[in-house]
Amino acid sequence: MSTTASLPPTPGAAGDRPRLTFTARRRGKPPRHLADLSREDRAQVLRERALPGYRADQLSRHYFTHLTRDGAAMSDLPARDRGQLVDELLPELLTEVHTLQADAGATRKTLWSLFDGAKVESVLMRYSERATLCVSSQAGCGMACPFCATGQQGLTRNLSTAEIVEQVRMAAAACRDGLLTDGATRLTNVVFMGMGEPLANYRAVVDAVRRMVEPSPAGFGLSARNVTVSTVGLVPAIDKLAREGLPVTLAVSLHAPDDGLRDDLIPINSRWKVGELLDAAHRYFEATGRRVSIEYALIRDINDHGWRAQLLADELLARGRGWVHVNPIPLNPTPGSRWTASDPAVEETFVRTLRRAGIPTTVRDTRGSDIDGACGQLAAEALAATAPKVKEPTR
Ligand code: SAH
């Protein structure tokens, strides 16, 4: 008699099986990728697979410099090893679902599907002097800011380092291949202003930043000052970032200078108040020498009052001069939102008040708003794309 025979049958065991598989897949980690690993660890992985460690640098050059994961293009690697090398260290992580263009082809927004079906977006924007990629650090977001499309979704999961880095490689290749207007160019800037709160996925984000700024063959060799990490204000993580020795630009999504309003706009403000956040931002400036950006979405009749502009200026000046600049950005209304952008005259007064107080202030443009692609509003489209649609083709 087998021991299991005496046990009562597991209810629905057969029916549960596919569900368990599905759950396991969804909870599983993305496959390990070269971009998850330091240069030394890549060599180690290859040695463990009985491949010469120096192949790791060759493979890394293909990835970070030639921007490819196509074994057929790697003519300096022995043909017999290419398949294994690619399988071991360059698995496919992002599948393009679709790309939308705006601003006469100077803006491209791509929706990506990850290995488990989670969706994220990135937006590539060409300017006269630079090309900037807005990357996602999480699928969804747990911060629940009521004006933000991603905030309405909740958090699906953190992205791995390589899932972030792959967004950069794809964008760098798009720039090189002339997919933006006005021909080939170089990707120069990366901003963590896509989906997610980067400092809530701290380790993967910092490692992704390292891959961005390390020179070839370890990384892409971007300038750290051209990488911006944008946060709702996770104070301990800001202090930790200041100690990483990575002089990236810090952007703080403030949106209100007073706790009364900020508690409503940015729920995490109940944990770290405006004063604590601005102190941390100022410490970041002192530790890194990098001027901090204050992001301020101007929402009509909510946070755009003259007295709030003055209070913002006072709060910033109380901590010193020359350490900060303000980026007001017209609110990009999310579908169904009762909020809208400030009146242009009100925006002008807000900006003038800050400038008169001596705070450098630049209104951020809203690229791609016609494709829901302004940074910080990437999710509505992604959600719509993941929800089953009856009338539209699935692609
Ligand atoms: N979680 C991070 C980064 C992602 S959002 C953060 O909050 O900083 C990038 C920026 O877009 C943030 O400043 C965010 O507040 C802003 N944003 C979000 N929704 C917006 C909207 N509907 N209109 C304008 N800016 C928005």
Side-chain angles (χ1 to χ4, degrees):
M1 190 181 114
S2 89
T3 47
T4 49
S6 60
L7 293 172
T10 315
D16 278 346
R17 195 177 274 247
R19 200 181 126 73
L20 283 174
T21 313
F22 177 69
T23 310
R25 208 173 81 108
R26 290 194 53 99
R27 290 211 183 126
K29 286 188 174 175
R32 184 194 49 202
H33 187 282
L34 176 149
D36 291 314
L37 305 171
S38 68
R39 194 176 167 195
E40 298 71 38
D41 289 348
R42 293 169 206 166
Q44 183 61 31
V45 166
L46 292 191
R47 282 193 293 268
E48 282 163 12
R49 299 290 180 281
L51 288 160
Y54 64 84
R55 296 267 180 246
D57 272 356
Q58 289 174 292
L59 203 59
S60 298
R61 243 176 239 112
H62 286 293
Y63 182 79
F64 288 106
T65 308
H66 307 307
L67 308 172
T68 186
R69 54 176 289 277
D70 174 10
M74 303 177 185
S75 52
D76 57 339
L77 296 173
R80 66 173 188 284
D81 292 343
R82 286 182 209 165
Q84 195 192 349
L85 285 164
V86 170
D87 288 349
E88 291 290 351
L89 285 178
L90 295 176
E92 182 164 32
L93 296 178
L94 305 185
T95 315
E96 181 175 333
V97 179
H98 65 229
T99 293
L100 300 175
Q101 301 202 27
D103 307 309
T107 301
R108 288 169 64 86
K109 180 181 74 162
T110 304
L111 176 67
W112 304 105
S113 185
L114 308 181
F115 85 104
D116 55 355
K119 302 283 188 296
V120 295
E121 299 195 29
S122 41
V123 184
L124 179 57
M125 295 157 283
R126 182 171 193 161
Y127 299 87
S128 53
E129 302 294 318
R130 64 185 196 278
T132 300
L133 178 70
C134 181
V135 288
S136 294
S137 57
Q138 299 180 314
C141 184
M143 297 296 130
C145 304
F147 58 90
C148 173
T150 315
Q152 308 317 298
Q153 278 186 72
L155 177 65
T156 302
R157 69 167 170 89
N158 283 332
L159 299 198
S160 67
T161 297
E163 286 172 325
I164 299 169
V165 171
E166 266 288 81
Q167 296 172 59
V168 178
R169 179 183 69 94
M170 296 293 202
C175 287
R176 177 199 60 194
D177 297 341
L179 300 188
L180 295 162
T181 41
D182 298 334
T185 187
R186 279 181 75 87
L187 179 71
T188 54
N189 293 59
V190 176
V191 297
F192 281 85
M193 293 189 182
M195 295 167 78
E197 166 51 43
L199 295 187
N201 183 15
Y202 187 86
R203 191 34 54 203
V205 164
V206 166
D207 284 351
V209 171
R210 290 195 193 286
R211 300 296 106 78
M212 290 174 206
V213 306
E214 283 163 343
S216 172
F220 294 113
L222 294 176
S223 160
R225 62 183 53 232
N226 289 347
V227 176
T228 299
V229 173
S230 180
T231 179
V232 288
L234 307 186
V235 164
I238 293 173
D239 285 324
K240 202 167 159 193
L241 187 65
R243 294 192 295 268
E244 294 284 350
L246 278 173
V248 293
T249 299
L250 178 72
V252 170
S253 298
L254 195 68
H255 306 317
D258 53 310
D259 289 320
L261 178 57
R262 197 168 191 271
D263 282 346
D264 290 339
L265 292 182
I266 313 279
I268 202 74
N269 199 69
S270 60
R271 179 71 184 80
W272 293 288
K273 296 293 173 194
V274 170
E276 291 171 87
L277 173 54
L278 292 179
D279 287 346
H282 186 257
R283 287 195 293 276
Y284 188 86
F285 164 75
E286 296 213 299
T288 62
R290 300 293 304 141
R291 201 162 71 160
V292 174
S293 300
I294 300 291
E295 307 295 303
Y296 200 106
L298 283 167
I299 314 175
R300 184 176 296 185
D301 297 332
I302 300 288
N303 65 354
D304 58 359
H305 315 88
W307 69 266
R308 282 201 160 95
Q310 190 58 54
L311 179 59
L312 174 59
D314 293 345
E315 288 287 350
L316 299 178
L317 291 173
R319 289 163 176 85
R321 284 189 176 270
W323 70 278
V324 70
H325 69 263
V326 176
N327 286 145
I329 171 169
L331 182 83
N332 191 350
T334 57
S337 163
R338 58 204 148 91
W339 289 332
T340 187
S342 299
D343 191 85
V346 172
E347 175 184 307
E348 211 182 297
T349 306
F350 197 93
V351 169
R352 202 178 330 115
T353 304
L354 288 167
R355 287 193 182 141
R356 279 203 183 135
I359 309 279
T361 303
T362 324
V363 176
R364 218 170 65 193
D365 73 350
T366 48
R367 278 289 184 97
S369 45
D370 52 335
I371 51 169
D372 293 332
C375 287
Q377 206 210 331
L378 299 171
E381 176 73 18
L383 256 188
T386 44
K389 275 189 197 167
V390 182
K391 286 188 187 147
E392 290 179 26
T394 46
R395 224 194 94 81

